[in-house]
Amino acid sequence: MTLPPQAIDTEQEWVERARDGDRAAFEQIYRAYSGKVYGLCLRLTREASIAEDCTQETFISAWRNLGRFEGRSALGTWLHRIAVNAALARGRKGHLEVVPPPQDEAGEEHEPAMLHDATPPLDVEAAIESLPTGARHVLVLYGIYGYTHDEAANMLGIAVGTCKAQLHRARRLLRERLSA
Amino acid sequence: MKDELQNGEERDEVLQAVGQLPQSIEPQRDLWPEIASRLDAPVTSRRPGVQMGWTLALAAGLGCMALGALLTVGLMKRADTGAPNTLTAQATAPANSATAAATTPGAADAPQVRQASLGGYAMLGPEYEQARATLMIGLAERLDRLPPLERQKVERNLNEIRRALGELNAALKLAPNDTLLRELLLNTYHDELTLLANVNQIADSIPSRTPS
């Protein structure tokens, strides 16, 4: 998530001013990154209303923690990290209220039934949406947003090996799905 | 995609197709007004970010204390009815620590109380682990009293919480200073205590089955 030098200067100014409580500057940050944050949340949660909540939580958490943002990573990466945490927390709360997806003896989630439906999804986005949660999370971070396995694993709180295995699984399922 | 080169992964057609998807999707409505209104919350009235770690940790600790007290009351009620081998866990809060006290209400004398510590954010101390394990033994008895569907749901939720705790602990080993991970870990402990308290409450509300 790189920006041209001029934009980075502007972004740094936004951050500095927002740290001092300037909401207009923080709104500029929101305007610049809301699409990427919402896009990630939507793909992780699969529900627009939940993605909206996660996006709001992300920017509120960012506002409260701007003092801790040291600029070692890009602002977009930092926001994405917060968004992943928000989406995972929401997913966990969701799991506590509904029956979790079935698991086999090895503890792996079964693929959703729609993977085997007669009518295939029409596009890649829909095929990604049909993937099991763990595989989808890794594929979204790695494949769409370009994070490395180390970065994605760290964001998701899983081992790098698990991340690679989930990506392999996601690619296999997606290939099957798209060629159906 | 540095990893592709490192791992010899080819960017096959699938990944190519995925990589062409837009990273940005605009929300269907402008979320800024709601975000801006929530920025007005008292916690953000001062310079953002300052002392938030303490605030969050204190809030989480107080939440754990309240739940611990609730759990204790519930289990003491169980003790009054002569239920064997139960144990309470309670948390105290200097921000990043918690304690658990194990009691044996079935004992003839006053319940033995053993203090155990929560070893920082990332790892539970061995005493707390032991206390929690003992609590799980008592929990099994209470779970037996629940209707099968409720029991299955509780067991799934506990497994989910434990899996989350394991993943969070693993992530914190890699990033021990990550504030958000710490917050998530405390929230997950909070969820676990809530669930245990709920099970206790529900089990207490169901009459015990006595063999005829």
Side-chain angles (χ1 to χ4, degrees):
Chain A
M1 206 172 287
T2 56
L3 296 171
Q6 193 175 1
I8 289 174
D9 286 344
T10 306
E11 183 178 293
Q12 286 174 347
E13 286 176 14
W14 290 343
V15 171
E16 287 298 323
R17 285 167 49 200
R19 273 188 187 136
D20 290 333
D22 185 336
R23 292 177 185 215
F26 190 65
E27 183 178 358
Q28 294 300 317
I29 294 174
Y30 167 79
R31 299 289 172 206
Y33 286 101
S34 60
K36 285 182 178 174
V37 169
Y38 177 76
L40 176 61
C41 291
L42 182 62
R43 284 159 171 147
L44 292 181
T45 66
R46 297 192 289 192
E47 281 196 39
S49 61
I50 297 177
E52 287 181 358
D53 287 347
C54 289
T55 302
Q56 291 181 0
E57 287 167 19
T58 297
F59 282 98
I60 290 166
S61 180
W63 167 259
R64 292 174 179 171
N65 290 283
L66 266 175
R68 298 177 187 278
F69 176 61
E70 298 172 350
R72 285 185 293 188
S73 62
L75 179 61
T77 302
W78 186 67
L79 290 170
H80 266 177
R81 187 178 179 80
I82 299 173
V84 169
N85 282 337
L88 292 180
R90 186 58 68 103
R92 260 193 294 279
K93 283 197 168 70
H95 274 168
L96 295 179
E97 293 162 4
V98 299
V99 176
Q103 296 188 343
D104 58 23
E105 289 179 355
E108 288 210 339
E109 297 166 27
H110 293 304
E111 291 100 51
M114 66 185 296
L115 279 176
H116 305 294
D117 286 349
T119 308
L122 298 176
D123 56 28
V124 179
E125 198 80 71
I128 293 172
E129 190 179 334
S130 73
L131 292 175
T133 304
R136 190 179 75 255
H137 286 177
V138 170
L139 183 72
V140 165
L141 288 172
Y142 184 99
I144 300 179
Y145 293 96
Y147 291 107
T148 65
H149 280 300
D150 283 347
E151 291 167 334
N154 191 258
M155 283 179 169
L156 294 169
I158 59 177
V160 174
T162 304
C163 188
K164 291 178 178 176
Q166 290 285 22
L167 180 67
H168 178 75
R169 185 180 179 212
R171 290 166 66 183
R172 175 177 59 80
L173 292 172
L174 207 55
R175 192 177 300 114
E176 291 172 5
R177 185 66 175 148
L178 291 171
S179 62
Chain B
M1 298 278 167
K2 289 174 281 186
D3 281 359
E4 287 179 38
L5 298 176
Q6 291 170 5
N7 302 328
E9 291 173 356
E10 293 178 12
R11 192 165 181 81
D12 59 13
E13 290 179 2
V14 169
L15 280 180
Q16 282 180 11
V18 170
Q20 287 172 359
L21 293 172
Q23 292 188 347
S24 182
I25 301 174
E26 291 302 323
Q28 293 179 340
R29 61 191 179 91
D30 187 4
L31 304 177
W32 175 251
E34 284 179 49
I35 292 172
S37 69
R38 291 171 67 183
L39 298 182
D40 287 330
V43 72
T44 58
S45 58
R46 60 180 179 271
R47 180 178 168 139
V50 177
Q51 293 185 341
M52 273 305 296
W54 279 99
T55 311
L56 289 171
L58 185 60
L62 289 172
C64 287
M65 281 180 68
L67 283 165
L70 180 65
L71 188 57
T72 303
V73 169
L75 287 170
M76 289 309 289
K77 280 167 58 183
R78 290 269 300 156
D80 291 343
T81 61
N85 196 28
T86 55
L87 175 146
T88 61
Q90 64 184 25
T92 60
N96 64 346
S97 68
T99 60
T103 65
T104 311
D109 299 326
Q112 292 180 332
V113 178
R114 175 164 45 82
Q115 297 294 327
S117 64
L118 181 66
Y121 281 111
M123 297 293 293
L124 285 175
E127 291 158 320
Y128 191 97
E129 288 280 16
Q130 188 181 352
R132 203 166 61 150
T134 311
L135 179 60
M136 293 306 162
I137 295 171
L139 182 71
E141 294 175 17
R142 291 190 291 279
L143 283 174
D144 282 341
R145 295 165 57 186
L146 297 181
L149 285 177
E150 290 296 323
R151 177 180 176 160
Q152 286 174 14
K153 189 182 286 186
V154 168
E155 287 173 340
R156 285 192 189 110
N157 290 344
L158 268 178
N159 287 337
E160 184 67 28
I161 287 172
R162 286 173 182 169
R163 186 182 64 79
L165 285 172
E167 291 180 355
L168 284 167
N169 278 323
L172 272 168
K173 281 181 184 174
L174 299 173
N177 296 320
D178 191 308
T179 308
L180 290 164
L181 284 175
R182 290 176 179 181
E183 184 183 346
L184 273 176
L185 187 69
L186 283 172
N187 286 342
T188 310
Y189 285 137
H190 181 281
D191 287 343
E192 186 183 39
L193 281 174
T194 304
L195 180 59
L196 293 175
N198 286 342
V199 169
N200 203 46
Q201 198 171 17
I202 294 169
D204 277 346
S205 69
I206 298 174
S208 298
R209 292 177 196 157
T210 52
S212 56

